[in-house]
Amino acid sequence: MSSDRQLFDEMPKPTSTPMPVDLSKYSKRVLLKTILDRADGGLGLIDQRVVVGGWVKSSREVRKDSPPAAQAPVGSDAKQAAGGKDVKCVEVFQSRIPFLRTIIKVFGGNTAHTKEKLESILPKVAAPAISILQISDGSSISSLQIIVDSSIAPPSQLMPTGTCILAEGVLQKPSLQGKHALELKAERLLHVGIVDQDNYPLSKKGLPLARLRDCAHFRPRTTTVKTRSSLSAYYSFSEIIGWVRNGWVIARNGFGSRGYLLLLDVASVMKIRNGLNQASHNFFQNHGFIHVEVPIITATNTGGLPGIFQVSTSRFSAKEHKKEEPVSMDDTKHIDLETIKLSIAEKSKKVEELKRSDSNKEALAAAVQDLHKTSLLAAELEARSKSKSRSKSKTENVKEDDGFFSNQAFLTTSGSLHLESCASALGNVYAFGPRFQADKSESKKYLAEKWMIETEIAFSELEDAMNCAEDFLKFVSSWVSENCYENLYFLSKRVDKTILDRLNSLASTVFEKITYTTAVEVLSKVTDKTFETKIQWGVALTEEHESYLVDEFYKKPIIIYDHPKELKPFNVRLNDDGKTVAAFDVIIPKVGALIRGSQKEERLDHLSKRIKELGLRKDQYEWYLDLRKQGTVKHSGFNVMFDVMVLFATGLNDVRDAVPFPRHHGKIHN
């Protein structure tokens, strides 16, 4: 026993000194995750003085209990009691209010009316209060509770949702009962970024998702996406209303059986997007790929497809961009301006004659009105003529300014052609960046500006690219599950409870590989379901077809390869059957097609023939054909639709909610 006692005495004892917390290297504040994401929830930091910053997610005000007022002396006695200091008139009035009310009561009269008059002339002093703020700085899912006394800053200034504060204070146990393990008692505010509640969109309780996309610059501050029916499986209606009051973003569409309630947590989505980005780079760097940048502006229609954005160097002033004023009369296009001017001159003479004569006032008024209408018509015709002249000038300016480049320029739809050039020297390469497609599709998976990961592997064939694509998805799913677990778990409770299971399944399942022909045969035998697009060989598989194959028939990720040549780009290698090409699509649950890849055509004669068949301009592809003339090599690669991968990992349904600033047909806000 003595030895045990001796060992116990020699053991280091916990000290009352709190463990230090690290400052953010570049902002001289403590990130909230270093406080809230600790194993002890931050309790080991009690009594530490820190500086934290963030944005108010929710708030409430608590009034302090006013202490009983002592009978204050008046006049010279009051001054003496205050230590010789002058007592303000307000304090005197406040101290004598009970006495005045007693006098009023004794002498009678309309006490209520007199009381109102009396209180209206007395200065109103705000009762002492404290602001209880929940703030987030984006580093943690959790928020920190901050207590700010009204003597430091008025609650009305701090409480609006979105207010930015930088506060210095001491971490302590919560002063009020609640779910928080600790709070910060603010001793001073170093910065307050106030919010204009009338114009700040996120302060409104009801906010449709479409409106939220319109103010994309504030969207990262919002807190998840859920249908009402799914929410009810986890939470009671009172809990949901509690979220609403605490600053969640809502979209409502009725409250009947078909109504729904949506909440969107863009911060968690962006963190998972960042994790997918990092995981993707890790995979390629770990496998010897070299990251290269490909041009966004190009002279080549890289996909050989319609619907591309042309780059113009024209510069117009704001006035030139103004829309023409609407024409008020439809029958003016056949009227000559000179004829109208002659008519105005004649009508002016008639008015002058009527003024000189003693004609009745009605005739004069009618003549003046007629002259006024004709003058308006002339002004309208003249404005239209000038507008046409400006439009003609704009066209001429376009032709002149487009000489910035030696030929037409486009926003790239794909960087794969340029990657092939790099693969010819560097071996395995990949690129990551925006790609552009002028597609007016209303699909929830496509944007005008989309982010793509593109790869090219030298000395490889179709099978190699398919294996690489499968390995890539498994690695990324596993990496994100491990390194973004908190955000995934957060979304799984509020968006899609199958997120984690789906990622883990993708990471561990062997993909099924089938030909396009096999896929058509399977779909043709379906009798219990009617597809909107009738399936037959040569028809592109729709999202509906892909969903059936992956979700209902194979019930696992699939890779469909050897597609009809008419359905794929011009540079995909032609198979020996002359009908299909060495291309593949990776189809996964929830989102459908996520990766598209192919083996490229390395044979010069086949590639030249394909360019001619599709009617493409050969001069645009001379540099590309040179790769086949000079040291050609078999090579293959694939493209990952990164935005769609975010949908898969987060459980979202619309790619516009998975991108910080979406650009799509009919919408561009900033």
Side-chain angles (χ1 to χ4, degrees):
M1 289 292 293
S2 59
S3 60
D4 292 340
R5 179 66 184 178
Q6 184 178 0
L7 288 173
F8 177 78
D9 292 338
E10 292 175 356
M11 289 175 61
K13 303 296 188 296
T15 62
S16 58
T17 305
M19 296 173 62
V21 62
D22 295 332
L23 287 176
S24 174
K25 186 175 181 181
Y26 302 110
S27 64
K28 296 180 180 178
R29 64 185 172 92
V30 175
L31 295 179
L32 294 188
K33 70 176 183 180
T34 65
I35 299 173
L36 303 172
D37 294 356
R38 293 161 52 102
D40 62 358
L43 292 176
L45 302 175
I46 294 292
D47 295 332
Q48 273 218 41
R49 180 179 298 278
V50 295
V51 173
V52 298
W55 291 265
V56 174
K57 293 295 184 182
S58 63
S59 61
R60 60 192 177 102
E61 180 182 354
V62 176
R63 297 286 180 181
K64 290 183 177 179
D65 293 329
S66 302
Q71 188 72 20
V74 186
S76 59
D77 293 336
K79 183 175 180 179
Q80 184 178 359
K85 295 181 181 178
D86 291 333
V87 179
K88 296 179 181 178
C89 292
V90 173
E91 296 172 350
V92 174
F93 268 115
Q94 287 179 331
S95 66
R96 305 312 295 169
I97 286 175
F99 175 69
L100 294 173
R101 285 176 177 163
T102 302
I103 294 176
I104 293 169
K105 191 173 182 180
V106 170
F107 286 96
N110 190 339
T111 307
H113 178 68
T114 310
K115 178 182 177 182
E116 288 177 5
K117 279 191 172 183
L118 179 61
E119 292 184 350
S120 67
I121 64 173
L122 292 177
K124 293 182 179 180
V125 180
I130 57 173
S131 303
I132 304 177
L133 314 174
Q134 312 298 331
I135 72 161
S136 172
D137 65 358
S139 66
S140 174
I141 292 176
S142 304
S143 58
L144 177 66
Q145 181 166 289
I146 297 184
I147 306 297
V148 185
D149 195 278
S150 58
S151 61
I152 298 175
S156 59
Q157 185 183 56
L158 304 178
M159 291 179 59
T161 300
T163 301
C164 178
I165 69 168
L166 185 66
E168 180 181 353
V170 176
L171 294 170
Q172 62 181 22
K173 291 184 178 180
S175 53
L176 299 172
Q177 186 176 1
K179 64 178 181 178
H180 294 273
L182 80 167
E183 66 186 18
L184 178 81
K185 183 178 181 181
E187 296 183 349
R188 62 173 180 151
L189 297 181
L190 306 177
H191 171 77
V192 177
I194 62 174
V195 164
D196 180 358
Q197 294 185 71
D198 293 334
N199 296 313
Y200 185 63
L202 302 188
S203 63
K204 299 173 177 60
K205 289 187 177 180
L207 188 62
L209 290 182
R211 175 70 183 93
L212 188 59
R213 297 184 196 120
D214 291 344
C215 54
H217 50 301
F218 289 129
R219 196 166 60 159
R221 299 185 187 182
T222 61
T223 310
T224 296
V225 179
K226 201 72 175 161
T227 63
R228 185 180 181 184
S229 58
S230 298
L231 278 173
S232 61
Y234 289 108
Y235 307 102
S236 67
F237 183 72
S238 61
E239 287 177 307
I240 295 172
I241 294 301
W243 294 341
V244 171
R245 290 172 178 167
N246 284 323
W248 291 73
V249 176
I250 325 166
R252 283 199 181 106
N253 184 12
F255 285 93
S257 59
R258 296 185 180 180
Y260 60 83
L261 173 66
L262 294 177
L263 306 167
L264 180 63
D265 181 6
V266 179
S268 288
V269 173
M270 291 304 109
K271 290 175 185 177
I272 293 172
R273 186 183 179 96
N274 174 69
L276 291 169
N277 187 328
Q278 186 177 349
S280 301
H281 283 287
N282 286 352
F283 174 83
F284 292 115
Q285 293 293 329
N286 292 344
H287 288 82
F289 283 74
I290 296 175
H291 180 246
V292 297
E293 289 81 22
V294 295
I296 291 177
I297 299 176
T298 176
T300 307
N301 182 354
T302 49
L305 301 172
I308 58 175
F309 290 104
Q310 183 172 346
V311 177
S312 172
T313 56
S314 302
R315 295 179 296 276
F316 302 132
S317 67
K319 291 181 180 179
E320 289 174 320
H321 276 297
K322 282 185 178 179
K323 293 181 179 179
E324 293 183 22
E325 293 295 325
V327 179
S328 58
M329 303 179 74
D330 295 330
D331 58 349
T332 58
K333 56 185 177 182
H334 301 298
I335 302 176
D336 182 64
L337 180 60
E338 294 301 321
T339 303
I340 296 297
K341 288 183 177 180
L342 290 173
S343 176
I344 289 175
E346 292 177 2
K347 293 178 186 297
S348 297
K349 288 180 181 179
K350 184 177 180 179
V351 168
E352 292 298 324
E353 290 175 0
L354 290 172
K355 285 181 178 180
R356 286 194 297 267
S357 66
D358 294 331
S359 301
N360 61 57
K361 294 182 180 180
E362 291 182 0
L364 177 60
V368 171
Q369 183 68 16
D370 186 28
L371 175 61
H372 179 65
K373 288 182 178 180
T374 308
S375 299
L376 289 177
L377 178 60
E380 187 176 337
L381 290 172
E382 192 168 4
R384 185 182 300 178
S385 176
K386 290 180 179 179
S387 176
K388 288 181 179 179
S389 177
R390 285 198 301 269
S391 298
K392 184 178 179 181
S393 176
K394 286 181 184 180
T395 305
E396 293 173 354
N397 288 338
V398 169
K399 292 179 179 178
E400 292 176 5
D401 290 346
D402 275 350
F404 185 90
F405 293 115
S406 58
N407 49 5
Q408 282 186 312
F410 310 97
L411 294 180
T412 186
T413 58
S414 170
S416 61
L417 270 63
H418 295 89
L419 271 184
E420 290 182 54
S421 173
C422 297
S424 299
L426 302 174
N428 299 351
V429 294
Y430 76 104
F432 186 20
R435 306 292 179 257
F436 305 87
Q437 186 73 45
D439 189 352
K440 296 183 179 180
S441 170
E442 296 299 323
S443 171
K444 294 181 179 181
K445 289 171 53 180
Y446 296 100
L447 296 171
E449 178 186 274
K450 53 191 176 183
W451 281 76
M452 303 279 287
I453 301 171
E454 298 170 309
T455 71
E456 204 64 42
I457 311 168
F459 304 99
S460 71
E461 300 184 16
L462 182 67
E463 188 73 19
D464 301 309
M466 289 194 293
N467 291 337
C468 183
E470 182 176 348
D471 290 345
F472 167 78
L473 286 180
K474 289 181 176 180
F475 175 86
V476 169
S477 298
S478 178
W479 193 97
V480 171
S481 296
E482 181 179 348
N483 293 276
C484 301
Y485 179 80
E486 289 185 358
N487 289 289
L488 291 170
Y489 180 77
F490 182 77
L491 290 178
S492 71
K493 289 299 183 184
R494 295 162 174 83
V495 181
D496 183 351
K497 62 182 179 181
T498 66
I499 289 175
L500 290 165
D501 290 339
R502 196 167 57 240
L503 285 168
N504 293 330
S505 175
L506 187 66
S508 59
T509 303
V510 177
F511 292 13
E512 186 77 28
K513 294 183 176 70
I514 62 172
T515 64
Y516 168 85
T517 301
T518 301
V520 171
E521 290 173 354
V522 171
L523 293 168
S524 299
K525 295 176 181 178
V526 177
T527 57
D528 59 343
K529 183 179 180 65
T530 302
F531 299 111
E532 290 186 10
T533 302
K534 185 178 179 181
I535 188 65
Q536 59 183 6
W537 203 95
V539 172
L541 301 180
T542 65
E543 292 182 17
E544 188 181 21
H545 295 144
E546 294 169 346
S547 176
Y548 177 83
L549 290 170
V550 74
D551 294 325
E552 299 184 44
F553 191 82
Y554 290 101
K555 297 181 180 179
K556 62 191 301 189
I558 62 175
I559 299 179
I560 305 175
Y561 63 96
D562 287 352
H563 293 256
K565 66 177 183 179
E566 291 79 12
L567 302 180
K568 294 299 177 180
F570 74 97
N571 61 334
V572 181
R573 195 179 200 275
L574 186 68
N575 290 329
D576 293 339
D577 59 12
K579 298 190 304 179
T580 62
V581 290
F584 71 92
D585 296 338
V586 180
I587 317 297
I588 65 174
K590 170 67 179 176
V591 296
L594 176 57
I595 293 180
R596 302 191 190 279
S598 65
Q599 181 179 341
K600 306 307 186 295
E601 184 62 81
E602 84 282 0
R603 298 166 294 186
L604 178 62
D605 55 340
H606 285 72
L607 187 59
S608 299
K609 182 180 178 181
R610 189 77 176 124
I611 290 174
K612 186 176 181 180
E613 283 178 359
L614 294 175
L616 302 175
R617 288 178 52 186
K618 190 175 181 180
D619 59 316
Q620 284 190 354
Y621 301 96
E622 287 295 344
W623 69 272
Y624 186 64
L625 293 172
D626 280 345
L627 298 177
R628 275 67 182 170
K629 299 174 185 177
Q630 315 293 344
T632 187
V633 62
K634 284 188 176 182
H635 55 288
S636 62
F638 57 86
N639 303 335
V640 183
M641 292 178 279
F642 186 76
D643 303 323
V644 179
M645 190 160 66
V646 176
L647 290 186
F648 175 77
T650 59
L652 298 175
N653 294 314
D654 195 321
V655 74
R656 291 173 293 183
D657 299 320
V659 178
F661 301 97
R663 277 85 171 87
H664 55 96
H665 177 236
K667 292 285 185 178
I668 182 168
H669 305 293
N670 41 28

